[in-house]
């Protein structure tokens, strides 16, 4: 899959200069690049039919790769946003100083992207997170995905909220796209195991 | 209906000292107080069955009262959050200086409350809004409402996002509650006309 671009909403020069951060971003980029379709190919080629391809198998593939790098999936970390049991974060990496780097791969609608970024803001403000990244498809890819998933262009007009809110750490959105389209590939069924996308 | 409390997330001493703002808050409080159930009673008494009462008729009643004060319902104002036709805001009042005061009565899930407040932030930052208010039920009331509507307590842990983001103007959340419960009142059907709630 193609990493379209990384949009840094909140930056932190000290963190960004460090080796730990560079490793994290390299691992995320690698996990995106290794999402392929159909199985066994070298690129992510999608069947270009509107709303036909499942999103969760793509996310699963991404998470599986990060787990190979030592990240933890579905970890429930108390970011300070609930009195009850905290909701799981898609994938986190525990850092040397005890803080976490969180990544959410959007599978819900655009409203849930707002909540995901607001949650990361609280985690950064409370010092639980060192960084947070939300991954979502650009509109060109989103058209072919099911589940009314949100897209990058829809969220972009709101970026100033997260650019201006004071946080300590890094907050970013990563936009992803397909490598190619083809009528000769199968659609990604919702129930596909993420392991198939490699 | 009972106005449980007003939580000011972003304040502006000049606006809050003005007559226009006091009128706005009085009108909102009046519109909440005048939501009654069953029809013709003096209070808002709800049938205490989980997830059984419609939310939209309640919102409609609120909006109808503000319209009597000269507010405009479903006005599409360009707050800067879309390249396409702006989505409608539940109810707005146009102010003497050309800016607007926006009120959204939450009828969606908690994620949509995040988007609603983020949208108001952008409107305030761009100088299109002078103020924005989101109304949502406290948990005690929410339990009896349909549509997986969000509640105040769920949103509260995120308030620091909107308390710390820089805006010019007023941003607030208003929590509402029932006055009483009774097994002798009918449920509020989803299709009820808002005019019935008076």
């Amino acid at each position: 899959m193609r990493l379209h671009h990384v949009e840094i909403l909140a930056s932190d020069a000290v963190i960004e200069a460090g080796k730990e951060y560079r490793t994290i971003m390299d691992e995320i980029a690698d996990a995106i690049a290794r999402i392929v379709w159909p199985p066994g190919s070298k690129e992510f080629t999608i069947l270009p039919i509107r709303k036909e391809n499942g999103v969760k198998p793509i996310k699963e593939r991404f998470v599986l790769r990060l787990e190979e790098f030592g990240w933890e999936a579905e970890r429930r970390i108390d970011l300070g946003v609930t009195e009850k049991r905290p909701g799981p974060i898609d994938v986190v990496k525990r850092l040397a100083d005890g803080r976490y780097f969180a990544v959410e791969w959007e599978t819900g609608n655009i409203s849930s992207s707002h909540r995901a970024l607001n949650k990361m803001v609280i985690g950064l403000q409370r010092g639980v997170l060192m960084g947070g990244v939300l991954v979502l498809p650009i509109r060109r890819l989103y058209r072919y995905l099911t589940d009314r998933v949100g897209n990058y262009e829809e969220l972009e007009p709101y970026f100033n909220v997260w650019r201006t809110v004071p946080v300590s750490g890094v907050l970013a959105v990563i936009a992803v796209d397909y490598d190619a389209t083809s009528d000769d590939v199968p659609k990604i069924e919702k129930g596909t195991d993420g392991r198939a996308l490699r």
Side-chain angles (χ1 to χ4, degrees), chain A:
Chain A
M1 179 169 270
R2 192 160 80 85
L3 193 163
H4 185 270
H5 80 284
V6 180
E7 184 73 26
I8 304 284
L9 297 173
S11 62
D12 183 310
V14 175
I15 291 172
E16 287 168 66
K19 187 171 175 299
E20 209 167 27
Y21 176 76
R22 291 199 304 277
T23 302
I24 284 168
M25 296 308 273
D26 286 348
E27 288 169 351
I28 293 171
D30 178 275
I32 291 168
R34 280 173 178 262
I35 300 166
V36 301
W37 189 255
S41 61
K42 293 213 182 308
E43 292 197 322
F44 182 82
T45 304
I46 197 164
L47 180 71
I49 302 183
R50 291 176 72 90
K51 311 269 172 214
E52 280 293 316
N53 295 278
V55 178
K56 286 189 182 154
I58 299 173
K59 165 183 140 178
E60 279 171 32
R61 176 66 223 135
F62 172 75
V63 168
L64 284 164
R65 180 61 179 162
L66 288 182
E67 285 183 306
E68 291 172 17
F69 289 127
W71 294 59
E72 297 167 76
E74 301 288 311
R75 174 86 186 250
R76 292 173 186 273
I77 297 170
D78 183 9
L79 299 179
V81 294
T82 179
E83 319 116 89
K84 296 178 285 188
R85 194 174 175 219
I89 298 172
D90 285 345
V91 58
V92 298
K93 186 169 195 175
R94 193 180 167 93
L95 306 168
D97 68 0
R99 287 186 292 173
Y100 292 89
F101 198 100
V103 182
E104 297 267 18
W105 186 288
E106 189 55 75
T107 57
N109 64 25
I110 196 68
S111 295
S112 67
S113 294
H114 284 264
R115 184 172 52 175
L117 286 171
N118 289 347
K119 188 191 280 189
M120 290 176 186
V121 166
I122 299 293
L124 290 163
Q125 288 183 336
R126 291 183 168 240
V128 182
L129 297 182
M130 187 198 80
V133 163
L134 176 72
V135 184
L136 75 177
I138 64 168
R139 188 171 284 147
R140 197 173 85 127
L141 165 59
Y142 135 93
R143 285 179 296 160
Y144 304 132
L145 302 174
T146 55
D147 302 324
R148 301 172 58 213
V149 66
N151 64 68
Y152 181 86
E153 289 87 341
E154 249 182 307
L155 195 62
E156 199 173 17
Y158 293 89
F159 282 177
N160 215 50
V161 173
W162 304 294
R163 284 205 179 103
T164 59
V165 70
V167 295
S168 170
V170 176
L171 185 64
V173 172
I174 294 182
V176 293
D177 193 12
Y178 54 73
D179 294 304
T181 65
S182 168
D183 294 330
D184 299 327
V185 301
K187 74 173 179 186
I188 304 167
E189 300 283 353
K190 282 193 182 188
T192 305
D193 187 318
R195 284 166 224 281
L197 280 78
R198 64 180 175 185

